[in-house]
Amino acid sequence: MLVYKTKVDLVDRINNLMQPDFSLGFVPTMGALHQGHLSLVKSALANNNFVVVSVFVNPTQFNSSSDLNKYPRSLAKDIKALETVSKDSILIYAPEVEDLYGSKIKSESFNFMGIESLMEGNSRPGHFNGVGTIVKRLLQIVNPNKAYFGEKDFQQLLIIKKMVEQEGLEVKIVGCPIEREPNGLAMSSRNGRLSPKEFHESAMIYEILQTVKQKFSSEDIASTCDWVLRRFNNNPLFELDYFQISDIESLMPIKEKIPNKKYRAFIAAYIGDVRLIDNIDLN
Ligand code: AMP
């Protein structure tokens, strides 16, 4: 499988491949690919003639250089994983930082109507400006018909939809369901850092979300939130960062349900020094 290191080579190849009625899919990733990423690639392949998968650890979305340096990089393994899905319909774009940022590694500023400072943005100022910057740049280079993002990062998915609308980009953003380990834990490149015991215990996160979904139809929000806090307090392996039930448009936490609105429950928790996130649709 060919790997394109520069945007010039990638665009040249895309222009050669594409026919007037062809559709191009795009899956942006930071590499360290697992079945969650591959599920996006499979969805993209099912609905497009060719799929570009980018593998790029984006410096502007990290708050600390040590996190950026620690991020796993495994391009050779990622290529092998993608080859198991398709050998001839995937183009891998794995550039160096300069190809996307030139000499200025800096984010653009977006207005995401406050969504950027909730949940994942609360402890990571500027994170979503970094995400918006890189996804906008990648979409402008690849110019796909459809781009695929995981609901695992539901807040990111919403922010990207907003950015695409604000910037007037002509691409359909497709949200894809969360792929899970057999014990229910949402797949993540961080799961490899869990000890066998931590991995086993982490099943609790999805168990809690499933119970929250059951409780949502019959109990009030405050008592459900109390129940979640108690579950985490009773397990010394975990430290809860946040739990909230939010309206899926504003992501603001709610105290009461409003008919015809849609909601999702979100959890972020530490087990040891590994931070795990997950969410579930409540409607
Ligand atoms: P990342 O490499 O972590 O930036 O993720 C690249 C894309 O894969 C994002 O759109 C993520 O939401 C998506 N993704 C990550 N984990 C999963 C998963 N378990 N299920 C579905 N999509 C995922």
Side-chain angles (χ1 to χ4, degrees), residues 12 75 80 89 91 116 123 143 149 152 157 173 178 201 207 210 217 219-221 229 235 238 244-245 248 262 272:
D12 194 45
L75 184 60
K80 286 211 172 85
S89 303
L91 285 74
E116 70 280 14
S123 52
N143 193 20
F149 295 85
K152 159 100 190 319
L157 171 62
I173 300 300
I178 302 171
E201 291 282 328
E207 278 162 28
Q210 286 174 302
S217 51
E219 291 182 28
D220 63 78
I221 307 290
L229 295 190
N235 189 329
F238 283 100
Q244 66 181 64
I245 293 178
I248 63 159
K262 289 201 166 144

Short mmCIF file of all heavy atoms in Angstrom, two decimals, residues 12 75 80 89 91 116 123 143 149 152 157 173 178 201 207 210 217 219-221 229 235 238 244-245 248 262 272:
data_model
loop_
_atom_site.label_atom_id
_atom_site.label_comp_id
_atom_site.label_asym_id
_atom_site.label_seq_id
_atom_site.Cartn_x
_atom_site.Cartn_y
_atom_site.Cartn_z
N ASP A 12 -2.17 14.85 -6.10
CA ASP A 12 -1.86 14.39 -7.45
C ASP A 12 -2.47 13.00 -7.70
O ASP A 12 -3.12 12.75 -8.72
CB ASP A 12 -0.32 14.35 -7.56
CG ASP A 12 0.12 14.22 -8.99
OD1 ASP A 12 -0.45 14.94 -9.82
OD2 ASP A 12 1.00 13.36 -9.26
N LEU A 75 3.37 3.63 12.60
CA LEU A 75 2.90 3.68 11.21
C LEU A 75 2.98 2.33 10.51
O LEU A 75 2.03 1.94 9.81
CB LEU A 75 3.68 4.76 10.43
CG LEU A 75 3.21 4.98 9.00
CD1 LEU A 75 1.74 5.41 8.95
CD2 LEU A 75 4.09 6.02 8.28
N LYS A 80 -0.24 -2.14 8.08
CA LYS A 80 -0.64 -3.57 8.05
C LYS A 80 -2.12 -3.70 8.41
O LYS A 80 -2.86 -4.47 7.77
CB LYS A 80 0.20 -4.39 9.03
CG LYS A 80 1.61 -4.64 8.55
CD LYS A 80 2.13 -5.99 9.08
CE LYS A 80 3.46 -6.33 8.45
NZ LYS A 80 4.60 -5.70 9.18
N SER A 89 -8.02 0.21 -2.25
CA SER A 89 -8.94 1.36 -2.26
C SER A 89 -8.64 2.39 -1.18
O SER A 89 -9.39 3.34 -0.99
CB SER A 89 -10.39 0.87 -2.08
OG SER A 89 -10.70 -0.05 -3.09
N LEU A 91 -5.90 5.15 0.47
CA LEU A 91 -4.69 5.95 0.31
C LEU A 91 -4.33 6.47 1.70
O LEU A 91 -5.19 7.07 2.37
CB LEU A 91 -4.93 7.15 -0.60
CG LEU A 91 -5.05 6.92 -2.10
CD1 LEU A 91 -6.38 6.28 -2.44
CD2 LEU A 91 -4.95 8.26 -2.83
N GLU A 116 -16.88 24.29 23.11
CA GLU A 116 -15.46 23.95 23.22
C GLU A 116 -14.94 24.00 24.66
O GLU A 116 -13.88 23.47 24.96
CB GLU A 116 -14.62 24.89 22.32
CG GLU A 116 -14.51 26.34 22.76
CD GLU A 116 -15.72 27.19 22.41
OE1 GLU A 116 -16.78 26.65 22.04
OE2 GLU A 116 -15.60 28.43 22.52
N SER A 123 -10.81 20.84 30.73
CA SER A 123 -9.46 20.67 31.28
C SER A 123 -8.39 20.86 30.20
O SER A 123 -7.21 20.71 30.47
CB SER A 123 -9.34 19.28 31.92
OG SER A 123 -9.74 18.31 30.98
N ASN A 143 -10.33 17.16 0.19
CA ASN A 143 -11.56 17.53 -0.51
C ASN A 143 -12.49 16.32 -0.73
O ASN A 143 -12.91 16.04 -1.86
CB ASN A 143 -11.19 18.20 -1.84
CG ASN A 143 -12.39 18.89 -2.46
OD1 ASN A 143 -13.37 19.19 -1.77
ND2 ASN A 143 -12.35 19.12 -3.76
N PHE A 149 -16.28 10.23 11.37
CA PHE A 149 -15.77 10.47 12.73
C PHE A 149 -16.54 9.59 13.71
O PHE A 149 -17.73 9.31 13.51
CB PHE A 149 -15.96 11.95 13.11
CG PHE A 149 -15.16 12.89 12.27
CD1 PHE A 149 -15.66 13.33 11.04
CD2 PHE A 149 -13.90 13.31 12.66
CE1 PHE A 149 -14.91 14.17 10.23
CE2 PHE A 149 -13.15 14.15 11.85
CZ PHE A 149 -13.65 14.58 10.64
N LYS A 152 -17.53 8.01 19.64
CA LYS A 152 -16.71 7.90 20.86
C LYS A 152 -16.30 9.30 21.32
O LYS A 152 -16.29 9.60 22.50
CB LYS A 152 -15.48 7.06 20.54
CG LYS A 152 -14.32 7.21 21.47
CD LYS A 152 -14.28 6.10 22.45
CE LYS A 152 -13.30 6.26 23.58
NZ LYS A 152 -12.02 6.80 23.23
N LEU A 157 -17.15 15.40 17.34
CA LEU A 157 -18.00 15.24 16.15
C LEU A 157 -18.89 16.48 15.97
O LEU A 157 -19.03 17.01 14.85
CB LEU A 157 -18.83 13.96 16.32
CG LEU A 157 -19.94 13.67 15.33
CD1 LEU A 157 -19.39 13.48 13.92
CD2 LEU A 157 -20.70 12.38 15.74
N ILE A 173 -20.45 15.18 6.89
CA ILE A 173 -19.80 14.59 8.07
C ILE A 173 -20.67 13.43 8.57
O ILE A 173 -21.86 13.62 8.86
CB ILE A 173 -19.63 15.66 9.19
CG1 ILE A 173 -18.77 16.83 8.69
CG2 ILE A 173 -19.02 15.04 10.45
CD1 ILE A 173 -17.36 16.46 8.25
N ILE A 178 -19.81 3.63 18.36
CA ILE A 178 -18.62 3.30 19.16
C ILE A 178 -18.35 1.79 19.10
O ILE A 178 -19.23 0.99 19.38
CB ILE A 178 -18.84 3.72 20.64
CG1 ILE A 178 -19.15 5.22 20.74
CG2 ILE A 178 -17.65 3.33 21.50
CD1 ILE A 178 -19.58 5.69 22.12
N GLU A 201 -11.78 -4.16 35.21
CA GLU A 201 -12.62 -3.25 36.00
C GLU A 201 -13.26 -2.15 35.14
O GLU A 201 -14.32 -1.63 35.46
CB GLU A 201 -11.79 -2.57 37.10
CG GLU A 201 -11.35 -3.50 38.19
CD GLU A 201 -12.46 -3.81 39.18
OE1 GLU A 201 -13.31 -2.95 39.41
OE2 GLU A 201 -12.46 -4.95 39.70
N GLU A 207 -21.14 -0.43 31.77
CA GLU A 207 -22.26 -0.96 32.57
C GLU A 207 -23.05 0.19 33.18
O GLU A 207 -24.29 0.20 33.14
CB GLU A 207 -21.73 -1.84 33.72
CG GLU A 207 -21.39 -3.26 33.31
CD GLU A 207 -20.48 -3.93 34.34
OE1 GLU A 207 -20.52 -3.57 35.55
OE2 GLU A 207 -19.70 -4.78 33.91
N GLN A 210 -25.14 1.98 30.55
CA GLN A 210 -26.34 1.22 30.17
C GLN A 210 -27.43 1.34 31.24
O GLN A 210 -28.61 1.46 30.91
CB GLN A 210 -25.97 -0.25 29.94
CG GLN A 210 -25.23 -0.45 28.64
CD GLN A 210 -24.76 -1.89 28.50
OE1 GLN A 210 -24.02 -2.39 29.33
NE2 GLN A 210 -25.22 -2.55 27.48
N SER A 217 -35.49 6.81 31.59
CA SER A 217 -36.92 6.86 31.25
C SER A 217 -37.80 6.91 32.50
O SER A 217 -38.93 7.38 32.43
CB SER A 217 -37.31 5.67 30.38
OG SER A 217 -36.86 4.50 30.98
N GLU A 219 -36.50 7.66 36.08
CA GLU A 219 -36.05 8.39 37.28
C GLU A 219 -35.64 9.81 36.93
O GLU A 219 -35.36 10.12 35.78
CB GLU A 219 -34.86 7.66 37.91
CG GLU A 219 -35.28 6.33 38.52
CD GLU A 219 -34.12 5.61 39.19
OE1 GLU A 219 -33.17 6.26 39.65
OE2 GLU A 219 -34.19 4.37 39.22
N ASP A 220 -35.58 10.66 37.99
CA ASP A 220 -35.17 12.04 37.67
C ASP A 220 -33.64 12.12 37.53
O ASP A 220 -32.91 11.24 37.97
CB ASP A 220 -35.72 13.03 38.71
CG ASP A 220 -35.17 12.76 40.07
OD1 ASP A 220 -34.02 13.14 40.30
OD2 ASP A 220 -35.88 12.11 40.89
N ILE A 221 -33.21 13.22 36.90
CA ILE A 221 -31.78 13.35 36.53
C ILE A 221 -30.90 13.39 37.79
O ILE A 221 -29.86 12.74 37.84
CB ILE A 221 -31.56 14.65 35.72
CG1 ILE A 221 -32.51 14.74 34.53
CG2 ILE A 221 -30.10 14.82 35.29
CD1 ILE A 221 -32.27 13.80 33.43
N LEU A 229 -22.38 8.89 40.87
CA LEU A 229 -21.29 9.32 41.76
C LEU A 229 -21.00 8.26 42.81
O LEU A 229 -19.84 7.95 43.10
CB LEU A 229 -21.65 10.64 42.47
CG LEU A 229 -21.81 11.87 41.58
CD1 LEU A 229 -21.93 13.13 42.41
CD2 LEU A 229 -20.62 12.01 40.62
N ASN A 235 -15.70 2.50 44.13
CA ASN A 235 -14.62 1.73 43.50
C ASN A 235 -13.32 2.54 43.56
O ASN A 235 -13.13 3.50 42.80
CB ASN A 235 -14.99 1.40 42.05
CG ASN A 235 -14.01 0.42 41.45
OD1 ASN A 235 -12.83 0.42 41.82
ND2 ASN A 235 -14.47 -0.42 40.54
N PHE A 238 -11.07 3.91 40.55
CA PHE A 238 -11.47 4.98 39.63
C PHE A 238 -11.46 6.36 40.28
O PHE A 238 -11.78 6.50 41.45
CB PHE A 238 -12.91 4.75 39.15
CG PHE A 238 -13.03 3.69 38.11
CD1 PHE A 238 -13.43 2.42 38.46
CD2 PHE A 238 -12.75 3.96 36.78
CE1 PHE A 238 -13.55 1.42 37.51
CE2 PHE A 238 -12.86 2.97 35.82
CZ PHE A 238 -13.27 1.70 36.19
N GLN A 244 -22.13 13.64 33.03
CA GLN A 244 -23.25 14.55 32.78
C GLN A 244 -24.19 14.00 31.73
O GLN A 244 -23.81 13.23 30.86
CB GLN A 244 -22.77 15.96 32.43
CG GLN A 244 -22.02 16.12 31.14
CD GLN A 244 -21.58 17.59 30.95
OE1 GLN A 244 -20.77 18.13 31.71
NE2 GLN A 244 -22.08 18.22 29.91
N ILE A 245 -25.46 14.42 31.92
CA ILE A 245 -26.47 14.11 30.91
C ILE A 245 -26.72 15.43 30.19
O ILE A 245 -26.98 16.46 30.82
CB ILE A 245 -27.75 13.57 31.57
CG1 ILE A 245 -27.46 12.21 32.19
CG2 ILE A 245 -28.89 13.49 30.55
CD1 ILE A 245 -28.63 11.57 32.92
N ILE A 248 -28.14 16.98 23.16
CA ILE A 248 -27.11 16.66 22.16
C ILE A 248 -26.77 17.82 21.22
O ILE A 248 -25.85 17.71 20.41
CB ILE A 248 -27.45 15.42 21.30
CG1 ILE A 248 -28.71 15.65 20.48
CG2 ILE A 248 -27.56 14.17 22.12
CD1 ILE A 248 -28.79 14.70 19.29
N LYS A 262 -33.26 15.57 22.40
CA LYS A 262 -32.47 14.34 22.45
C LYS A 262 -31.32 14.51 23.44
O LYS A 262 -30.73 15.59 23.52
CB LYS A 262 -31.94 14.01 21.06
CG LYS A 262 -33.06 13.56 20.15
CD LYS A 262 -32.51 12.77 19.00
CE LYS A 262 -33.63 12.05 18.30
NZ LYS A 262 -33.45 11.99 16.88
N GLY A 272 -6.04 4.60 37.37
CA GLY A 272 -4.60 4.86 37.42
C GLY A 272 -4.36 6.20 36.73
O GLY A 272 -5.07 7.17 36.98
#
